[in-house]
Amino acid sequence: MTPAAPTGPTAPTGPTAPTGPTAPTGPTGPTVPRVLTVLTTVDSADAADALARGAVAQRLAACAQISSPVTSVYRWKGAVETAQEWQVLFKTTEEGYPRLEAWLTAEHPYDTPEIIAAPVVHGSTGYLEWVSAEVAR
């Protein structure tokens, strides 16, 4: 008697098993530049609007979204602080990020601004191409 074949999903083994990071495919592959979301926070709606409009006008970002006030809790100069802040989320390319970061650092009202970037892992091809075209001009 022979053992029954396994049923249900099984992990791949042997030479076809993934062994580490693989090259991206599809919209994030070599044909479309990598897109990033870049987040910063400021202490007023006016400051958020100025950063959003300035970055888009200078083609440092294709677009920016301003979120309603959030409550931030952080440690600053040895004390725990709480403040109302507005988040600004920029869409740019990996290639354009250094210019956006330099501009945000110069224009931001904070001494030590939060400027963090995260890669867009998946996205619609048309949208990613639009971001790339708007930042590259």
Side-chain angles (χ1 to χ4, degrees), residues 37-111:
T37 59
V38 179
L39 178 70
T40 194
T41 56
V42 291
D43 60 358
S44 73
D46 288 343
D49 185 68
L51 289 179
R53 287 181 174 280
V56 172
Q58 294 189 40
R59 297 194 179 275
L60 303 171
C63 65
Q65 296 161 321
I66 301 169
S67 295
S68 296
V70 296
T71 301
S72 296
V73 179
Y74 54 93
R75 182 177 300 278
W76 183 248
K77 298 184 179 178
V80 175
E81 303 284 343
T82 301
Q84 187 177 55
E85 294 184 299
W86 282 255
Q87 294 179 325
V88 186
L89 186 65
F90 302 91
K91 309 318 182 318
T92 193
T93 60
E94 197 168 81
E95 181 180 86
Y97 175 79
R99 292 179 295 135
L100 176 60
E101 181 185 357
W103 184 84
L104 285 171
T105 300
E107 298 297 319
H108 206 286
Y110 292 179
D111 293 337

